[in-house]
């Protein structure tokens, strides 16, 4: 099944359950549904965000959701990017981040995200050209990326 063509498309309200399945399946930076709810990240909140404007993308393989990325368009930040563990290393994260970045760069010159500085994700973002700007006391690193100039 891993040979299935991977398709990236905008997420819809109908994809919210799949998004939460992927988010709770990851090994690193795992959060339970209860932990996310305590942070205000609920299926209803995500449905509302997706309904309000395009802000999430789904990676599908053989009709199955295997990864997603989500942005906060107003804040100019990448809110989430996750791939099912068995689908890591296949370029899905890179393709999802390209969609997320392009969408944010339409409205912002500088975009940002935060992740645990000790995580594999931290190295992944650095590899994609994100620059570490600050580290908080809890070890989270704020990364920023500037919109490429047309000549680049």
């Amino acid at each position: 099944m891993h040979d299935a063509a991977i398709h990236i498309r905008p997420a819809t309200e109908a994809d919210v359950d799949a998004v939460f399945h992927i988010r709770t399946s990851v090994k690193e930076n795992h959060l339970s549904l209860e932990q996310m709810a305590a942070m205000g990240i609920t299926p209803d909140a995500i449905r509302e965000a997706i309904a309000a404007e395009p802000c999430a993308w789904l990676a599908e393989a053989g009709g199955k959701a295997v990864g997603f990325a989500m942005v906060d368009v107003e804040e100019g930040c990448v809110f989430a990017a996750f791939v099912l563990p068995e689908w890591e290393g296949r370029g899905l994260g890179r393709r999802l981040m390209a969609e997320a970045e392009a969408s944010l760069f339409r409205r912002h010159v500088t975009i940002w995200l935060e992740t645990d500085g000790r995580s594999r994700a931290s190295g992944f973002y650095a590899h994609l050209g994100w620059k570490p700007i600050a580290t908080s006391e809890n070890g989270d690193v704020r990364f920023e990326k500037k919109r490429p100039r047309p000549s680049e």
Side-chain angles (χ1 to χ4, degrees):
M1 191 62 183
H2 282 9
D3 295 333
I6 294 159
H7 175 67
I8 309 279
R9 66 168 175 80
T12 68
E13 293 171 71
D15 296 319
V16 170
D17 288 345
V19 163
F20 275 84
H21 168 73
I22 293 163
R23 181 64 187 88
T24 57
S25 296
V26 299
K27 308 248 185 300
E28 196 170 81
N29 189 17
H30 178 269
L31 287 177
S32 69
L33 292 173
E34 295 76 20
Q35 288 170 311
M36 284 187 276
M39 300 163 72
I41 305 167
T42 63
D44 284 345
I46 300 302
R47 253 184 227 99
E48 286 174 26
I50 290 172
E53 63 186 311
C55 64
W57 297 267
L58 207 64
E60 288 182 320
K64 175 184 189 286
V66 296
F68 77 94
M70 188 164 183
V71 299
D72 182 325
V73 179
E74 292 300 313
E75 292 287 322
C77 86
V78 177
F79 177 70
F82 293 96
V83 173
L84 288 176
E86 63 270 27
W87 285 87
E88 290 176 5
R90 298 171 190 281
L92 275 71
R94 181 179 44 77
R95 288 175 60 190
L96 287 163
M97 285 298 292
E99 295 287 345
E101 291 174 17
S103 114
L104 292 174
F105 281 140
R106 285 198 265 290
R107 300 249 303 260
H108 302 274
V109 173
T110 302
I111 60 177
W112 63 278
L113 61 83
E114 286 182 348
T115 195
D116 185 332
R118 299 169 298 262
S119 67
R120 287 182 307 140
S122 179
F124 169 72
Y125 296 128
H127 180 72
L128 293 182
W130 290 78
K131 304 284 184 242
I133 301 299
T135 304
S136 62
E137 286 181 21
N138 68 2
D140 281 357
V141 176
R142 179 184 173 106
F143 284 85
E144 290 185 356
K145 194 170 190 180
K146 298 228 181 289
R147 182 191 301 150
R149 290 186 188 85
S151 61
E152 292 178 354

